Amino acid sequence: MFSLIESEEITFFADLILPIPVPKLFTYRVPRGMADILKIGARVIVPFGKKNSRVLTAVVAKLHNSPPTAYQARYISEVLDEYPLVTGYQLELFRWMAEYYMCCIGDVMNVALPSGLKISSQSKVQLNPDFDYPELLTEFESILLAELKKHPALSYEELGRLAGEGTNVPALIKSLVGKKAVIVFEEVREKYIPKMIRKVRLHPNYEEKEQLLVLLQRLEKLPKQQEVVMRYLSHVPMQRNPALNQKGLDKTILNQDDELSQSSLTTLIKNQVFEAFEVIQPRFSDNAAPQAEIKLTDAQQTASSKIMAQFEHQNVVLLHGITGSGKTEVYIELIQQALGSGSQVLYLLPEIALTTQIVVRLQRVFGDKMGIYHSKFSDNERVEVWKGVVSGQYQFVVGVRSAVFLPFDNLGLIIVDEEHETSYKQHDPAPRYHARDVAIMLAHWQQAKVLLGSATPALETYFQAKQGRYGLVELFQRFGDATLPNILLVNLQKEKRQKTMKNEFSSALHDALEANIARKEQSILFQNRRGYSPYMQCEDCDWTAECPNCAVSLTYHQRDAELRCHYCGHKEQVPRTCPTCGSTKVRTIGFGTEKLEDQLQIFFPESKVLRMDLDTTRAKNAYQQIIQEFETGQVDILVGTQMITKGLDFDNVSLVGIFDADRLIHFPDFRATERAFQMITQVSGRAGRRAGRQGTVLIQTQNPEQPILQKVIQNDYKGLYEEEIQERQDFNYPPFCRLIKLTVRHTDKIISHRAAERLAAELTDALGSSRILGPEEPLVERIRNQFLFDILIKIERDKVNIKAVKAFIQDRINDILTDKGLRQVSIVADVDCL
Ligand code: ADP
Ligand code: ZN
Ligand code: ZN
């Protein structure tokens, strides 16, 4: 008896999070030798799928002794981490997010782990070119290897298919790797390639003043070349300090686009007057020396002390500070304090703001103690940051929304800058989370404090502060003696009547631009629509170019001479004649940033215009390059979409022009007024950020009487809040209720509609009609050939078991998804939808 028990094996089981959209954990067997080393939070490799044809990286969520009842547990193939890669806090976060945002825990993990940490099916197998011990192989392996020779590399899945049904692919690969017959490698999609800047400097022979003079005299007869040298000296004043020559000057600055100076420069290099060289452009270009100690102004110091005082009894504090008040400096002060007490700090920024100036400023203060987490970074770079947080190299991380997933375990402070920004909410794919709200949970678990900052707080946030659930600190003074810009409304109806419009430009804006260019000051123009024009239409019949896959018109892009769908990416050629009636009078209607850029070049041919929108910033460093070029001062006008509204800080911008304000205001959404106010205020805030001259903002509108515009002019956030919050209460919208949006999709409109009707009916039965709106067709009712229907669910904030409600909704969804009559319907839940 005794001996029997002794020899009986204790089988361990592990519940694993698999990176697939299935709402549960999977139980696997832990092989005997593995039991001692396997830890919760470690990654493992497991077979998956009907014939073990897939290989997945999973994370251990739980270790236990009970075998699953519903299926035969398979074995874990391999352990990847000796120490847990995912902390207990993160596992808790994953669980909470899956439940709160009504998605699968696997979806959360998938978004949380940088793909560099998930090998699984992205791993590839290839023949080891040095392999020459065929006698080691089994017959089956030899056959397989012969097949493998025909391919450069195969994924695990492809190899599984090749090996045939019933093969244990991980075991097979393990055996082949052990015999050194194959190599497993990660397919790295993007490597970090440093960007080179081409520079020039004067040959050291001319660094001395005398030689330089001789050179200039010699070039008297060659005015073009002399001009190039003079231009160089104007940027690099080496007469005063010869050492400056060492650093040289960007070649592009010297060329200034004109061919003459280009050829002169080439000659000068050939004659060894100049020498050309290259340097690596730092990821965040930072030419200046480390920042001299910044001293907070009195107002900033007061704000900072108040925040600290409120943290004594509040976990979340809102810093309501106008644009240019120096919120960043206040953050820096608080970050230093938190780091000083030994805790970690996370600083969240909206996607776009992160690539820019703020990071440079932070880097001057925190140097390489600071990690940067950004979606345009490669996997390798993201893995570096992840590991840096674990190792303690990065006590401080500045990052975009997905930085909430980093393995912090000792957070003291989280800052959410521009907390009103909608880009903190992930729309697709699941988890559809809001980074600000997740940050607040994260802080709650780790007993950290949260500072939300904005010049135009989200209504929801301000409401919490008013209710006393968050602290509130105000900073209503611009730094230095700078004042808020003077905002003027331009009446388009009047200008049209008086025929003073110049294409899309009112004469008021046109003349202001002209004057600004003459003063050598910079201007920013905002139009929240990219492309040349949003419609292409036939004048003779009513044909409009539309996307074949979506219910939207195609946008005309002149630069690439094509029509594009902004929803599905469909592209087509521009028709010369109307496809319906053959008329040649096909014209564009409306305008986007591209068209404005075009018109500016006609009005002001001498000036330099840059455009910043999705189309000009696709490349990794494109955004930074535009900012840098604008900063160095040779650009007169920057035209852009909402990208230019966020966090930019330029000294020399004194004019901001806003187009199409009415479209922002009248967007059919209950948040439209709030959004319009935020956007217009933020972009206005780019003007006049330095003491001396007050900036000007011109807003083009059909109706200057609109109350919201009056509030913008008076910078009356509180007035806007009072009015809006009343409406929200009257019509029961957030923050007075929670919103969950369910979107039903199918390629067949009838099926989509039937599923949506049934879902809405079932929800109405259980929850009551006052809580359910719809089903309704959204603004764009067809995307990628899927017909959409939305159901909006309103749930009270108090006295309702929201968990139970969500579980019920999920249950109804699952029921519909398994209905044979509604095959392939997909239903997406968006909790706290924006
Ligand atoms: P906000 O984020 O509130 O719009 P910023 O933090 O960008 O404002 O500050 C606006 C500008 O004023 C920045 O260029 C910043 O460097 C400068 N600034 C703010 N406070 C100080 C200070 N105490 N000392 C020096 N410069 C400051
Ligand atoms: Zn026509
Ligand atoms: Zn489309």
Side-chain angles (χ1 to χ4, degrees), residues 380-603:
N380 295 344
E381 289 167 299
R382 296 220 245 172
V383 173
E384 266 171 43
V385 177
W386 183 290
K387 297 197 163 150
V389 171
V390 174
S391 74
Q393 182 194 349
Y394 299 132
Q395 284 287 97
F396 171 36
V397 175
V398 44
V400 290
R401 64 169 182 244
S402 55
V404 296
F405 294 113
L406 286 168
F408 299 107
D409 56 5
N410 177 30
L411 279 168
L413 175 66
I414 304 180
I415 290 167
V416 185
D417 196 9
E418 312 289 358
E419 64 84 32
H420 64 279
E421 265 295 322
T422 50
S423 61
Y424 280 127
K425 172 90 166 145
Q426 169 148 321
H427 291 287
D428 218 31
R432 295 176 173 78
Y433 66 102
H434 198 302
R436 176 192 61 214
D437 302 340
V438 172
I440 292 173
M441 281 312 288
L442 207 57
H444 171 69
W445 291 318
Q446 302 193 19
Q447 272 107 52
K449 300 292 175 187
V450 180
L451 180 61
L452 308 175
S454 176
T456 52
L459 231 62
E460 277 99 330
T461 304
Y462 202 73
F463 178 74
Q464 298 296 342
K466 283 296 217 190
Q467 299 287 304
R469 279 191 284 268
Y470 296 169
L472 174 63
V473 173
E474 296 176 336
L475 184 54
F476 287 169
Q477 240 177 56
R478 271 197 157 181
F479 171 71
D481 287 325
T483 47
L484 283 176
N486 188 19
I487 303 179
L488 304 168
L489 303 177
V490 181
N491 189 337
L492 288 184
Q493 292 199 20
K494 195 166 140 204
E495 287 232 6
K496 277 180 188 154
R497 235 181 297 124
Q498 296 171 343
K499 302 210 185 324
T500 48
M501 292 291 291
K502 295 188 158 71
N503 294 340
E504 310 303 341
F505 292 77
S506 59
S507 62
L509 181 53
H510 176 276
D511 297 350
L513 280 168
E514 192 163 47
N516 225 36
I517 293 169
R519 275 196 300 269
K520 298 219 179 314
E521 292 176 355
Q522 293 177 300
S523 312
I524 287 182
L525 298 179
F526 171 55
Q527 158 67 339
N528 207 15
R529 192 164 228 174
R530 67 192 167 94
Y532 190 85
S533 69
Y535 305 101
M536 179 148 258
Q537 212 173 49
C538 169
E539 264 183 74
D540 288 330
C541 70
D542 57 2
W543 174 84
T544 317
E546 273 167 17
C547 177
N549 313 319
C550 314
V552 292
S553 66
L554 292 172
T555 299
Y556 172 50
H557 286 253
Q558 189 182 52
R559 188 65 53 91
D560 302 308
E562 60 188 12
L563 295 170
R564 275 191 223 154
C565 173
H566 288 180
Y567 283 80
C568 73
H570 168 84
K571 294 175 182 175
E572 58 185 63
Q573 285 197 329
V574 183
R576 284 172 196 279
T577 55
C578 169
T580 314
C581 75
S583 161
T584 49
K585 291 187 204 146
V586 177
R587 59 168 186 182
T588 60
I589 296 180
F591 62 100
T593 43
E594 223 190 359
K595 192 174 193 171
L596 291 181
E597 185 191 17
D598 228 45
Q599 295 180 353
L600 285 168
Q601 245 127 37
I602 295 167
F603 298 148

Side-chain angles (χ1 to χ4, degrees), residues 369-389:
K369 283 182 290 185
M370 176 179 95
I372 303 166
Y373 205 64
H374 189 257
S375 66
K376 284 219 169 147
F377 280 2
S378 69
D379 267 346
N380 295 344
E381 289 167 299
R382 296 220 245 172
V383 173
E384 266 171 43
V385 177
W386 183 290
K387 297 197 163 150
V389 171

Side-chain angles (χ1 to χ4, degrees), residues 294-295 300 324-329 361 479 649 689-690:
I294 283 211
K295 220 179 144 312
Q300 290 167 346
S325 58
K327 294 186 284 295
T328 320
E329 309 305 337
R361 272 158 75 187
F479 171 71
D649 182 37
R689 291 169 75 87
R690 289 302 171 274

Side-chain angles (χ1 to χ4, degrees), residues 548-686:
N549 313 319
C550 314
V552 292
S553 66
L554 292 172
T555 299
Y556 172 50
H557 286 253
Q558 189 182 52
R559 188 65 53 91
D560 302 308
E562 60 188 12
L563 295 170
R564 275 191 223 154
C565 173
H566 288 180
Y567 283 80
C568 73
H570 168 84
K571 294 175 182 175
E572 58 185 63
Q573 285 197 329
V574 183
R576 284 172 196 279
T577 55
C578 169
T580 314
C581 75
S583 161
T584 49
K585 291 187 204 146
V586 177
R587 59 168 186 182
T588 60
I589 296 180
F591 62 100
T593 43
E594 223 190 359
K595 192 174 193 171
L596 291 181
E597 185 191 17
D598 228 45
Q599 295 180 353
L600 285 168
Q601 245 127 37
I602 295 167
F603 298 148
F604 310 113
E606 303 289 303
S607 62
K608 174 128 196 207
V609 179
L610 283 183
R611 170 162 59 96
M612 188 156 84
D613 55 28
L614 207 63
D615 298 314
T616 61
T617 54
R618 286 187 207 277
K620 184 168 172 172
N621 289 312
Y623 185 80
Q624 278 160 265
Q625 272 163 17
I626 295 176
I627 301 280
Q628 229 171 15
E629 224 180 313
F630 192 65
E631 222 167 20
T632 50
Q634 294 157 57
V635 179
D636 301 291
I637 303 170
L638 180 66
V639 188
T641 54
Q642 44 156 349
M643 273 185 193
I644 57 168
T645 64
K646 299 169 192 179
L648 295 179
D649 182 37
F650 299 111
D651 283 0
N652 198 27
V653 174
S654 51
L655 175 66
V656 165
I658 298 173
F659 292 83
D660 241 356
D662 304 314
R663 200 169 59 94
L664 296 178
I665 297 167
H666 298 297
F667 194 77
D669 182 284
F670 74 91
R671 287 191 172 93
T673 308
E674 177 188 3
R675 288 280 152 69
F677 182 89
Q678 287 164 340
M679 243 185 245
I680 297 174
T681 304
Q682 291 289 348
V683 69
S684 301
R686 304 311 116 205

Side-chain angles (χ1 to χ4, degrees), residues 75-93:
Y75 277 103
I76 291 173
S77 316
E78 227 165 312
V79 184
L80 291 178
D81 306 308
E82 199 177 333
Y83 300 101
L85 182 95
V86 177
T87 66
Y89 281 121
Q90 286 175 299
L91 286 173
E92 193 166 348
L93 176 69

